[in-house]
Amino acid sequence: MKDVPTRSAEEAARVRASREEIRRLSALSPFELKDQLIAMAAEPARRSAAQMLNAGRGNPNWNALGPREAFLALGHFALAESRRVWSMDDLGGMPAKEGVAVRFERFCEANPGLTGVRMLRDCVDYGTDRLGFEADAWLHELVDGYLGDNYPVPDRVLHHCERVLRAYLGEEMYGGGIDVDEVDVFPTEGGTAAMCYLFDTLVTNGILRRGDTIAIMTPIFTPYLEIPELERYAFKVVHVRAAMMTEDGVHMWRYADEEVDRLADPEVKALMVVNPSNPPSMAMSDRVRERIARIVRTANPGLVIVTDDVYGTFVPGFRSVAELCPRNTALVYSFSKHYGCTGWRLGVIAVGRDNVFDDKIAALPAAERKRLNKRYRSLSLEPEKIRFIDRLVADSRQVALNHTAGLSTPQQTQMVMFALFDLLDEGRRYRQLVRDVVHRRLDLLLEGLGNTHISDDRGRAAYYVELDLLAEAEVFDSPEFAAYLKAAYEPTDVLFRLAQSSIVLLNGGGFEGPEWSVRISLANLDDLDYLKIGHHLYAIMEEYRKEFAAAAVDAPQP
């Protein structure tokens, strides 16, 4: 007999939310519904002194220590450089560029036991030895960037930072498939800012127009569903659904060819992708990437693609759709999940130098070009030559504040440390460690669930898992049981039952997934907590089975 949590029928009836209340709250965004569920889960946790298990948010519970320690060591050197120039009590000076590389070598030799100094030296050496940086210019950018005593110059991205980010993206996103020296990057305040900037500049510059048709590959991170509905955009949306099932009726979370072929319609002006997907956490297959690339080459060459690849590092051998469609794609990446640094707000937009975005701006009607020239005329005597990625930068600061645009230099410097760490042997070992963590938690969740079925797929990032409880009930219990669940309960009923056990998950339907699916983050709780969540989910499904059996007994006989 499986050891699962139990509660009396009287207790279950007392704590259960009404169907009307569940239906009302389920109209909220999943992340707003989460707050309601947390409030519900807090009360039983308080009464029983149990820990609330919130697997609703994807904030990881790990930290990448090596690059943070390197940043800390850089801080010691940067402060010494400031004191060297001008020291008067707490007053320091701006660091000097000349000779800084020699002084750095002396600093490392004098402080061999300083936390992070070895990692910092390895990162600096990678820049000079592998990327060909001139030592003084490289060290001065790091020191000055850490101190944050200058505006970001250039405003889009610091010079050496861009080259480091190109190397990192080339390794982790493009798979060595393109010349990354032909890619321009714009560091942003996390992936969320990157999303907002892209939507805004695409419309401002007439690349997309209010009411245009766009495609969204679903399930997907909810803001990609909600932003297109805003009055400013009012896009018509085509859903490209990951609806493929195995012969046994298990979700593969893969896109059928006929779904992908919907992108061939020239009326579809843009495609929004999260890859690996959120919540299914599956990397796009080569078959689908190649099919999209073929459509772009033939039927829909003007298709604009925005791909959000934040979870790509969790899949061995990952390659972005941007590798095969570099002219058409704006790649969004965030360091937050892999490095456990959501609070740092470190994201990046990458766009190929030869791109369809600039082509579309150049092809606008004369009146539109005139309007845009007026918008950007304070930035250049030839505003029509301002590239799309630089328009992103200007628009991020309402154009008028372009001279103070750009991600803060300390943020860019920490981003550099994360990226260089990844390119070292230590970073490769760390990459495998975090992959092992999420897959171990997935195994424990499935152990707790007992007989739940998921597809075996090497493209699974396992940062989240999406479980379709209705499909599971229909295939592995009975169609009658599934029909009973649909008729008797709201799809989110299971979330409210879990909340009464102090467990918080998100509803997969809010991500345009199956209505009866749940999203479980595998990143933010301790390993054994996932075994507990599995046990509670199993127990709730047992409750449903008992209620179904009781309803069948009570039903009038023909």
Side-chain angles (χ1 to χ4, degrees), residues 71 141-142 145 152-159 161-162 165 187 344 346 405-417:
F71 186 75
E141 181 178 295
L142 290 175
V153 178
D155 49 18
R156 175 165 58 81
V157 58
L158 301 178
H159 174 68
C161 177
E162 179 165 41
L165 291 176
W344 266 100
L346 303 180
L407 188 67
S408 81
T409 62
Q411 285 174 287
Q412 292 193 52
T413 304
Q414 178 66 89
M415 191 184 294
V416 163
M417 293 296 112

Side-chain angles (χ1 to χ4, degrees), residues 204-226:
T204 296
N205 284 270
I207 297 170
L208 294 178
R209 298 181 183 278
R210 187 175 184 275
D212 273 353
T213 298
I214 70 167
I216 301 176
M217 300 187 84
T218 59
I220 195 169
F221 184 44
T222 306
Y224 284 102
L225 299 167
E226 295 175 344

Side-chain angles (χ1 to χ4, degrees), residues 350-381:
V351 180
R353 198 162 289 157
D354 173 26
N355 64 75
V356 74
F357 306 93
D358 289 329
D359 291 351
K360 286 178 176 287
I361 292 171
L364 288 170
E368 280 291 288
R369 296 200 307 275
K370 182 178 180 180
R371 175 184 66 82
L372 291 171
N373 288 346
K374 182 178 180 181
R375 177 180 177 85
Y376 299 111
R377 67 186 177 186
S378 64
L379 309 182
S380 171
L381 295 176

Side-chain angles (χ1 to χ4, degrees), residues 244 312 317 505:
M244 292 179 67
L505 307 182

Side-chain angles (χ1 to χ4, degrees), residues 243-264:
M244 292 179 67
M245 310 280 281
T246 67
E247 291 182 359
D248 295 333
V250 174
H251 277 286
M252 298 171 66
W253 306 114
R254 293 295 184 190
Y255 306 95
D257 288 347
E258 56 268 24
E259 285 289 308
V260 179
D261 288 347
R262 303 177 76 183
L263 305 177

Side-chain angles (χ1 to χ4, degrees), residues 54-63 281 311 314 336-342 430 434-442 445 461-465 505 519-527 529-530 533:
N54 180 4
R57 194 167 191 184
N59 197 105
N61 64 347
W62 58 74
N63 284 296
S281 214
Y311 306 104
F314 291 87
S336 61
K337 304 302 194 295
H338 186 76
Y339 296 97
C341 62
T342 54
Y430 171 86
V434 294
R435 289 173 182 169
D436 290 344
V437 166
V438 292
H439 280 277
R440 181 170 64 248
R441 292 171 179 178
L442 175 60
L445 174 72
Y463 195 90
Y464 306 104
V465 65
L505 307 182
R519 185 188 88 154
I520 305 170
S521 168
L522 298 167
N524 66 330
L525 297 174
D526 293 337
D527 291 6
D529 290 336
Y530 292 96
I533 291 172

Side-chain angles (χ1 to χ4, degrees), residues 439-456:
H439 280 277
R440 181 170 64 248
R441 292 171 179 178
L442 175 60
D443 289 342
L444 286 165
L445 174 72
L446 295 177
E447 180 183 338
L449 281 163
N451 60 352
T452 294
H453 304 77
I454 66 170
S455 62
D456 184 15

Side-chain angles (χ1 to χ4, degrees), residues 46 125 166 257 305 312 395 428 460:
R46 185 191 62 78
D125 288 349
R166 285 172 178 163
D257 288 347
I305 302 172
D395 292 338
R428 291 181 172 86
R460 184 181 293 278

